[in-house]
Amino acid sequence: MAADQIILHNRFCEITFDRKTGRWSARDRIADAWAFRDAQFRVDKFPGQNWREPETVITCRKQGCQSVFGKGTELEITFAPKEGYDPTRILKIRLYNKRPFVEIGWGIWNRFGYPIRISKVDVVYGGELFSGQSVRQPRVLRSGAGAEPNMVEKGWQIEADNGAMLTYLNRGSRRTMVAGGLAYGEFGRTVEWRDGERGAGKRVRNEGFRNMILSFTDPQGRIVQAGETYFSPDTAYLDFVTRDPFDALDAYGQALRDANNANPNVYDFPTLCGWMVSTQNLGEGKPINNSPGLVEQTALARDRGLMKYTPLAVRLEPDTYCYNNFGDTQQGWWDDAHWSAYGPGDGQARGEGVGSLRKPYETFEKFCKAVADLGGIPFTYFQSSMPSNDFAVAHPDWMLNKDISRLHYPHAHHRPFVRYDYTHPRFRAHCLAVWQRLRKAGMKGIKFDYPETAWARYGGFADTRFTTTSAYREMFRLCREGLGKEAFIHERNLGGTTHEDAPRLDATAGIVDIQRVWGDASHFEPEMASRMGLRWYKSRRVFLYYPDGKSFYMDGKPIEAYKRRTFLTIMGFLSGRLEIGTSIGSMTDEMFYDVTRLFPMLGGTQSPRPVDMLTGGAHPSVYVYKVTASCLQVMLINNMKTARLVAAPLSGDQAATGSLGAEPDSRYHAFDFWSQAYLGVLKGTDRLSMKLRGGEASMISLRKVEDHPQVISTNRHIMQGMLECHGVKWSPKAGTLIGNVDVVGGEDFVMTVACNGWEPQSCEGAVIRKRTGSRGLVDLVFTSDVNARMPFDLMFGV
């Protein structure tokens, strides 16, 4: 080791810092391969504007560290300029004893007598990629947020917000790198792999110099006061050791969850959107977006028996826009008087009455109580930073820059010139009081519409300690504090539609439960699924994702059953949230039945892997959820408009073949849920295939064939036994299969059992029904007048 080099390592990776050049390198110790070499650490340096580098004193210190990731070692490197106007910058590189990733943090000491503002920190800049390697079949995937498109892209170059994954073959051996944000507080993250610059202090284009940049960015930046030492609460993640891209991204998602203490609430109920139903183009033009209308819908849901399966959430959207009353709306006031005075926005059927809150439910307390008494869950809606003009006049100091001088400017509703200052102490107190009042009234969930309006790129904050990112987070944080940890918080993160070009970020991790991935749309199309599915590693761990509400009708006619079941399957399997734009009274019995197959909603921290993302088309068509080592749930989807065969190998290298992850030397029962059809026994070396109509999806259980009878499916839930069957086990001595099932009163619960060479004799708790055309299978039929967890004891003879 050279005298100028400092080495930090664990059993996975090695960091080398050169005190002479001030650059650092990272190496995979397991594969003995460089991740990058000679990266710089820079603060507020911008392309084409680099000045002479000042003479700098570099000091290094190693010390133990501990966090949610366990114990490890930190290398702290301080760069202290002896001249010029650069602040002293501090780089923190952490390796944990039992983790294969690197955590990177940073800090600033303001050595001057005046405040400085930090807006861009490159913790990895110009690090040379692929040193000594060949790069074959490279693919990249951006870590999308909100409505940002994210698809696997060919090649190795990418520029992405939040993070990204790069995978490729190096002389036949797979290598993968995942880089991105970890802990979030005051900055966003960007990742770039590119042909780019070489050298310090001068700009040299070299198309052969492949390098990476990992940055912390904020348009407004963080003020560091004179003499202050500031350590950012934000950190970055870098894993270049985990080879399998699926494993690497799953590990990243879990780390992102842990770093931000994220625990998104499960939307274990459908949500009826009052706004969507009330529109003609997306819903029915039925005037239910008011308190009496949604109470009535909740009563209908109860009367039709929905509450036997799941509650119904109803969302009242008081969404008056600026156009018809000179900019005066409910927004900012957020009280019953204004919600009663202003009604549904343009494009909706309004019915009788004026406001969103109407008698006899003219307060949110009365509305929430009425909904809850019927077994429902009350939700509502806020426009993030679109203040009513009269509210801005009443509280000019609560606006950005304390400026309402452009209040008279005509503007699109989502592009106001006057917006809230979420850093102002009194406005924050006002917001918190609103949320606490709504919590006391019984409100359970909030949709933040147009959150991009709260992205204050140019600052104007009363509290100058805030960055644009932290001020944006503050809007949601206040809601979480006021409504409580059980509340459902929804970020309609479409981004980019204001004059301030808001990005779509993961910055609300640990605060928000769900992000929307699409604009207003009651239909379904393939990219909706891939925007959610290609974030499987964050889905349910950090956020839920969903593509807006969906209607069971199109142009006044019911959509075909297979199309309805397709989007329902995707919502239940990939999304974890179903929002509907069809009123309860307009749903047929078949629609109602299909909806109930999703509940209880799949929760936990695992989501289905899009296993053909590297081998298939633009949108994955094969998703796999590993229930147990011997039990897989598979969704096949035909993303084309015409019928075709969709297939996947059961076993093999998942990244190379798009396999389902089964064992090659085992056999598997295959059963299709929606058709309740047995597909036979497949060898582990076979391919699972189905011919699907254009836009059709199927849900299939794969159960490893045992040497005794086993459950292979039910008719109750799309997860086919995972959530509705309990304690199922085989007793070899007694020759019995026993367990419990959750039966809904008034509906036959059917559980399909593969006998595997055994002969069923009798069953306590259910009726045995042989399946026509399926040798070796029987159905157990359970009935009950009320909801019950019913035991069964199925006895066999050889």
Side-chain angles (χ1 to χ4, degrees), residues 51-66:
W51 295 0
R52 176 174 67 84
E53 290 295 319
E55 183 180 352
T56 300
V57 176
I58 299 174
T59 57
C60 301
R61 179 178 66 165
K62 283 186 185 179
Q63 56 191 355
C65 64
Q66 187 168 358

Side-chain angles (χ1 to χ4, degrees), residues 307-330:
M307 299 348 181
K308 293 190 297 182
Y309 299 87
T310 175
L312 174 70
V314 290
R315 188 170 68 230
L316 175 59
E317 297 203 357
D319 64 336
T320 301
Y321 290 144
C322 54
Y323 304 113
N324 295 322
N325 197 41
F326 307 106
D328 291 348
T329 67
Q330 319 97 327

Side-chain angles (χ1 to χ4, degrees), residues 478-490:
L478 289 165
C479 179
R480 177 60 72 195
E481 180 182 348
L483 278 187
K485 65 180 182 180
E486 301 86 6
F488 298 88
I489 301 180
H490 167 179

Side-chain angles (χ1 to χ4, degrees), residues 88-167:
T88 295
R89 61 194 191 276
I90 305 164
L91 178 65
K92 289 176 172 282
I93 304 171
R94 302 183 189 107
L95 297 183
Y96 294 97
N97 298 342
K98 298 181 180 181
R99 304 283 184 147
F101 65 84
V102 183
E103 183 179 21
I104 310 169
W106 58 275
I108 295 292
W109 175 51
N110 181 0
R111 60 195 180 97
F112 303 106
Y114 53 85
I116 60 174
R117 188 183 299 276
I118 306 300
S119 65
K120 187 173 188 290
V121 177
D122 306 315
V123 291
V124 178
Y125 183 85
E128 181 184 1
L129 296 168
F130 313 129
S131 178
Q133 302 177 50
S134 67
V135 180
R136 298 290 182 268
Q137 301 176 26
R139 298 291 186 271
V140 289
L141 174 65
R142 68 186 65 245
S143 187
E148 182 178 19
N150 45 241
M151 291 180 280
V152 173
E153 302 170 38
K154 292 184 178 180
W156 62 271
Q157 297 188 64
I158 194 171
E159 183 176 0
D161 288 331
N162 306 309
M165 181 274 294
L166 162 65
T167 190

Side-chain angles (χ1 to χ4, degrees), residues 612-633:
D612 65 333
M613 70 176 188
L614 300 175
T615 60
H619 306 296
S621 57
V622 183
Y623 289 87
V624 179
Y625 185 100
K626 186 176 182 179
V627 180
T628 67
S630 59
C631 175
L632 303 173
Q633 282 298 120

Side-chain angles (χ1 to χ4, degrees), residues 321-436:
Y321 290 144
C322 54
Y323 304 113
N324 295 322
N325 197 41
F326 307 106
D328 291 348
T329 67
Q330 319 97 327
Q331 301 305 311
W333 298 110
W334 297 323
D335 57 28
D336 291 333
H338 286 82
W339 283 315
S340 297
Y342 294 96
D346 295 340
Q348 300 175 60
R350 302 187 180 215
E352 296 182 5
V354 177
S356 296
L357 293 175
R358 303 176 185 177
K359 291 182 177 181
Y361 315 110
E362 70 275 16
T363 69
F364 261 124
E365 184 175 5
K366 291 181 179 180
F367 170 69
C368 292
K369 184 179 186 304
V371 170
D373 286 349
L374 292 166
I377 302 173
F379 280 16
T380 194
Y381 159 108
F382 274 54
Q383 292 169 359
S384 299
S385 194
M386 297 159 56
S388 174
N389 278 5
D390 58 356
F391 182 81
V393 169
H395 302 286
D397 288 356
W398 296 3
M399 305 299 128
L400 290 171
N401 294 301
K402 300 182 179 179
D403 181 10
I404 63 170
S405 62
R406 293 188 290 175
L407 204 61
H408 63 289
Y409 284 21
H411 58 81
H413 62 273
H414 60 295
R415 296 191 175 190
F417 293 100
V418 175
R419 293 176 293 147
Y420 309 122
D421 179 0
Y422 276 101
T423 78
H424 194 288
R426 290 197 300 277
F427 181 63
R428 288 156 63 197
H430 168 71
C431 291
L432 184 59
V434 168
W435 299 126
Q436 290 170 336

Side-chain angles (χ1 to χ4, degrees), residues 310-606:
T310 175
L312 174 70
V314 290
R315 188 170 68 230
L316 175 59
E317 297 203 357
D319 64 336
T320 301
Y321 290 144
C322 54
Y323 304 113
N324 295 322
N325 197 41
F326 307 106
D328 291 348
T329 67
Q330 319 97 327
Q331 301 305 311
W333 298 110
W334 297 323
D335 57 28
D336 291 333
H338 286 82
W339 283 315
S340 297
Y342 294 96
D346 295 340
Q348 300 175 60
R350 302 187 180 215
E352 296 182 5
V354 177
S356 296
L357 293 175
R358 303 176 185 177
K359 291 182 177 181
Y361 315 110
E362 70 275 16
T363 69
F364 261 124
E365 184 175 5
K366 291 181 179 180
F367 170 69
C368 292
K369 184 179 186 304
V371 170
D373 286 349
L374 292 166
I377 302 173
F379 280 16
T380 194
Y381 159 108
F382 274 54
Q383 292 169 359
S384 299
S385 194
M386 297 159 56
S388 174
N389 278 5
D390 58 356
F391 182 81
V393 169
H395 302 286
D397 288 356
W398 296 3
M399 305 299 128
L400 290 171
N401 294 301
K402 300 182 179 179
D403 181 10
I404 63 170
S405 62
R406 293 188 290 175
L407 204 61
H408 63 289
Y409 284 21
H411 58 81
H413 62 273
H414 60 295
R415 296 191 175 190
F417 293 100
V418 175
R419 293 176 293 147
Y420 309 122
D421 179 0
Y422 276 101
T423 78
H424 194 288
R426 290 197 300 277
F427 181 63
R428 288 156 63 197
H430 168 71
C431 291
L432 184 59
V434 168
W435 299 126
Q436 290 170 336
R437 187 175 72 247
L438 284 173
R439 181 181 188 180
K440 185 177 180 181
M443 187 59 64
K444 302 299 183 183
I446 298 293
K447 170 186 171 181
F448 280 93
D449 208 357
Y450 306 103
E452 62 274 11
T453 60
W455 182 257
R457 173 177 294 275
Y458 303 109
F461 304 137
D463 188 337
T464 58
R465 295 171 299 175
F466 278 81
T467 65
T468 297
T469 303
S470 62
Y472 179 80
R473 280 170 50 93
E474 184 68 2
M475 174 177 68
F476 299 102
R477 191 202 66 76
L478 289 165
C479 179
R480 177 60 72 195
E481 180 182 348
L483 278 187
K485 65 180 182 180
E486 301 86 6
F488 298 88
I489 301 180
H490 167 179
E491 180 185 7
R492 182 183 177 262
N493 187 4
L494 305 186
T497 60
T498 72
H499 45 278
E500 300 206 7
D501 193 25
R504 290 155 290 201
L505 301 178
D506 285 339
T508 54
I511 305 174
V512 161
D513 296 302
I514 193 166
Q515 291 185 340
R516 205 165 103 185
V517 305
W518 207 267
D520 296 342
S522 60
H523 69 290
F524 175 78
E525 56 187 87
E527 190 176 344
M528 294 178 179
S530 63
R531 285 192 190 177
M532 298 183 293
L534 286 169
R535 302 175 195 170
W536 84 93
Y537 53 96
K538 294 188 290 187
S539 180
R540 292 185 172 92
R541 288 188 175 105
V542 186
F543 298 102
L544 299 176
Y545 301 102
Y546 91 112
D548 201 16
K550 295 289 164 271
S551 175
F552 299 122
Y553 291 83
M554 196 63 61
D555 298 324
K557 298 178 181 179
I559 62 174
E560 295 176 81
Y562 80 89
K563 293 182 178 180
R564 177 179 71 240
R565 290 172 172 178
T566 290
F567 79 68
L568 287 173
T569 302
I570 290 168
M571 294 302 101
F573 201 44
L574 302 188
S575 168
R577 198 269 176 94
L578 175 65
E579 183 175 300
I580 53 178
T582 298
S583 65
I584 300 300
S586 297
M587 291 172 62
T588 65
D589 290 343
E590 290 78 13
M591 295 171 185
F592 200 85
Y593 177 89
D594 288 352
V595 165
T596 61
R597 301 308 95 178
L598 273 59
F599 299 97
M601 184 62 76
L602 177 63
T605 60
Q606 180 188 172

